[in-house]
Amino acid sequence: MKEQLKSIEERAREAVSAVTDLKALDELRVKLLGKKGELTAILKQMGKLSAEERPAMGQLANQVRSQLETMISDKTKALQEAAQNARLAAETIDITMPAKKPETGHLHPLKIVENEIREIFLGMGFSIADGPEVEYDYYNFEALNLPPDHPARDTQDTFYITDNILLRTQTSSVQVHVMETQKPPIRVISPGRVYRSDAVDATHSPLFHQVEGLVIDKGITMADLKGTLELLMQRLYGDDCKIRLRPHHFPFTEPSAEVDVMCFNCHGAGCRMCKNEGYIELLGAGMVHPWVLENSGIDSSVYSGFAFGLGLERIVMRRYQISDMRLLFENDVRFLEQFR
Ligand code: PHE
């Protein structure tokens, strides 16, 4: 029996060290120590021993059992550790690899330039006024000296909601709201959307943006208008930028002018971009018509003012050399991404 016990221990030692996975080790444990295992089988024979032999043999058997148990639990630990290490090695993350950034949005070029214009005017002491896009005929036309049968209405045909409610064709409507609610001195700009029933092409869109400007105080002259716009254009296009005023007609300003800006491409010499003019038309402006002042309750014998309305799309297209206005509205990411 002693030999049997010794032999179990020796064979177990070899078998345990040869095992390479936890499942096989567990099977081995059952084979050695289980109810039907080899050790149990030997212990069952203890009954046949004499009373003198039994205690020594029992002690030896217990020693062997605890040897086997220790062997197996050591091996279990070793195998578990090896498995853990293998998993860690397999799941290693390269923390030096650059991460994928989440896509974030950014401002549209129209908004970028609008914000710039806002900043420039805020710096000159202007405030920002807002007005409705769905407007009464009165504010969009009549109060601006365009009575119902005025021919200039044809050039600003729009989308009517009722006979006297329409989508505004110009931000000049905000001039009237401002004059009705504020007392001079007035210095406001009003950026916003306007609508005209124009067909879409490279330079037209039924929806576009204007920035209106209105200044009313005692002693305001055309020189103030020119100085203000010159500063705006120099901020937008560079200090050497020049502007040019050409006589024009708007029903709500007198005198009126169209304002051209020196072509940034040829600096006035004439090139393809400015169709050899050297200058590019950017906005309408003029001294607020006395009737318009009076209409809105401002005494035209005391106060005078200037107003202007610039097309934001044109400014943006000049700034970024965009040749087709549709790009600003189609929302093609390949285009928009360039303004990140
Ligand atoms: N509202 C005019 C337009 O849309 C521009 C303008 C504004 C002209 C203010 C003079 C004064 O064409």
Side-chain angles (χ1 to χ4, degrees), residues 41-99:
I42 296 172
L43 291 178
K44 274 181 187 153
Q45 296 165 31
M46 292 279 267
K48 292 178 194 155
L49 294 176
S50 67
E52 297 88 70
E53 283 175 311
R54 221 175 280 159
M57 209 48 78
Q59 209 186 350
L60 183 63
N62 279 339
Q63 268 174 18
V64 170
R65 169 190 293 281
S66 83
Q67 286 285 353
L68 295 188
E69 281 170 354
T70 313
M71 253 181 247
I72 289 171
S73 90
D74 286 354
K75 183 73 181 188
T76 306
K77 269 191 215 129
L79 285 178
Q80 278 170 344
E81 212 170 283
Q84 167 92 327
N85 287 341
R87 240 180 69 197
L88 287 179
E91 290 175 6
T92 301
I93 295 168
D94 180 359
I95 54 163
T96 65
M97 220 162 84

Side-chain angles (χ1 to χ4, degrees), residues 156 169-170 172 175 196 210 212 250 252-253 284-286 307-309:
Q156 295 192 8
T169 62
Q170 48 185 351
S172 299
Q175 286 186 34
R196 293 187 194 177
Q210 288 187 332
E212 193 77 8
F250 294 106
F252 39 91
T253 47
F308 60 86

Side-chain angles (χ1 to χ4, degrees), residues 7 91 107 125 127 132 155 198 202 218 226 239 251 316 325 331 338:
S7 133
E91 290 175 6
L107 292 180
S127 51
T155 62
D198 282 332
K218 290 175 181 156
K226 191 176 181 201
D239 284 344
V316 171
M325 196 189 282
N331 286 337
Q338 301 173 57

Side-chain angles (χ1 to χ4, degrees), residues 160-308:
Y160 283 85
I161 287 152
T162 67
D163 275 352
N164 73 338
I165 298 176
L166 44 82
L167 296 183
R168 68 179 180 193
T169 62
Q170 48 185 351
T171 45
S172 299
S173 55
V174 185
Q175 286 186 34
V176 184
H177 288 290
V178 169
M179 286 187 281
E180 280 182 351
T181 53
Q182 294 182 28
K183 291 207 164 4
I186 290 171
R187 267 188 306 229
V188 296
I189 60 158
S190 184
R193 296 189 193 100
V194 298
Y195 303 83
R196 293 187 194 177
S197 75
D198 282 332
V200 173
D201 66 25
T203 53
H204 291 89
S205 161
L207 178 159
F208 60 103
H209 297 75
Q210 288 187 332
V211 181
E212 193 77 8
L214 178 69
V215 171
I216 297 172
D217 203 351
K218 290 175 181 156
I220 296 291
T221 70
M222 205 80 178
D224 299 306
L225 169 63
K226 191 176 181 201
T228 305
L229 292 176
E230 199 161 58
L231 191 65
L232 169 68
M233 293 309 165
Q234 286 173 350
R235 287 284 152 79
L236 285 174
Y237 295 117
D239 284 344
D240 62 342
C241 183
K242 290 195 172 57
I243 62 166
R244 180 174 86 174
L245 271 62
R246 270 184 297 108
H248 196 71
H249 171 77
F250 294 106
F252 39 91
T253 47
E254 180 60 36
S256 303
E258 273 192 329
V259 183
D260 302 338
V261 65
M262 192 175 77
C263 176
F264 64 89
N265 190 43
C266 62
H267 293 266
C271 68
R272 250 184 58 216
M273 266 189 128
C274 56
K275 299 194 187 95
N276 270 318
E277 297 262 343
Y279 280 79
I280 292 160
E281 184 208 321
L282 273 191
L283 60 122
M287 301 306 291
V288 181
H289 198 297
W291 291 357
V292 174
L293 291 175
E294 297 289 340
N295 253 338
S296 310
I298 291 174
D299 187 343
S300 64
S301 67
V302 180
Y303 293 103
S304 57
F306 68 79
F308 60 86

